[in-house]
């Protein structure tokens, strides 16, 4: 005998779960934009709710405090950036791996610029909200990537460079295209970069950064 009530309950729970995910995604997208534009101090739950197009009570239901919402936004930004570096693995070819990382970071600068601005604003203010995140998550992730790059160096796959400063250079260069979009647009005759120009940008940035990494005679990508 078919348990109709059970099937209805499962369907209802499924719909509720999807609705919850959709609302949460709307809140996070709005919060990322508002925190980027107004900073932590200037942002408010009311402003975020208005940007998301939902009642303030809904935001508070999903995130009890502004700090909880902010930390979730910062955490998701870091998770996205961390996933972008999955190619940096000891088993991968270093030039292709680093090139893929640079490509992905530039794609994120174009598609998720607000996330980069939230991160930059927090760091400029000496990380008053997520200093613990820097000391734990970011430190561990960075040391792991440094270990991979240094392994490539020991194997003679890339030049003996500072792995730490290579990462800093990649971060600074790729995030420039998110944090200084207005400057870039202004210098591009007041219009956003086209797809073709973004392609040229990725090629140029990879050429500049990987030039200092590749062994003599090694073609860059």
């Amino acid at each position: 005998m078919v348990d109709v009530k059970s099937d209805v309950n499962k369907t209802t729970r499924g719909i509720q779960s999807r609705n919850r995910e959709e609302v949460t995604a709307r809140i996070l997208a709005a919060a990322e934009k508002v925190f980027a534009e107004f900073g932590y101090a200037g942002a408010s739950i009311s402003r975020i709710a208005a940007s998301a197009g939902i009642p303030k009570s809904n935001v508070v239901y999903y995130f009890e405090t502004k700090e909880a919402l902010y930390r979730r936004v910062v955490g998701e930004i870091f998770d996205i950036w961390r996933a972008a570096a999955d190619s940096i693995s000891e088993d991968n070819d270093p030039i292709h791996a680093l090139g893929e990382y640079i490509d992905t970071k530039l794609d994120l600068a174009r598609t998720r610029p607000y996330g980069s601005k939230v991160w930059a604003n927090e760091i400029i203010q000496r990380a008053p909200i997520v200093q613990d995140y820097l000391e734990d998550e970011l430190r561990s992730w960075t040391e792991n990537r440094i270990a991979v790059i240094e392994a490539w160096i020991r194997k003679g796959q890339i030049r003996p460079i500072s792995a730490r400063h290579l990462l800093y250079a990649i971060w600074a260069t790729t995030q420039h295209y998110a944090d200084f979009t207005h400057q870039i647009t202004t210098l591009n005759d007041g219009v956003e970069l086209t797809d073709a120009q973004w392609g040229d940008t990725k090629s140029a940035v990879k050429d500049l950064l990987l030039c200092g990494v590749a062994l003599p005679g090694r073609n860059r990508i």
Side-chain angles (χ1 to χ4, degrees), residues 44-118:
S44 67
I45 294 295
S46 296
R47 180 168 273 160
I48 292 168
S51 180
I54 61 176
K56 177 182 176 181
S57 58
N58 283 28
V59 177
V60 176
Y61 175 78
Y62 289 100
F63 301 95
E64 293 184 1
T65 65
K66 183 172 75 170
E67 181 174 335
L69 176 53
Y70 183 79
R71 292 181 69 88
R72 174 70 177 274
V73 167
V74 171
E76 292 214 345
I77 292 166
F78 182 72
D79 286 344
I80 290 170
W81 286 352
R82 177 162 49 190
D86 283 348
S87 62
I88 303 180
S89 169
E90 190 173 340
D91 294 334
N92 290 337
D93 175 81
I95 300 303
H96 285 284
L98 292 169
E100 184 176 328
Y101 180 47
I102 293 168
D103 273 343
T104 304
K105 287 287 274 108
L106 284 171
D107 286 337
L108 290 171
R110 187 182 190 188
T111 60
R112 296 287 296 271
Y114 293 121
S116 181
K117 291 173 184 177
V118 170

Side-chain angles (χ1 to χ4, degrees), residues 27-42:
I27 293 171
L28 290 172
E32 188 173 304
K33 184 175 186 292
V34 172
F35 283 131
E37 293 181 341
F38 299 96
Y40 180 80

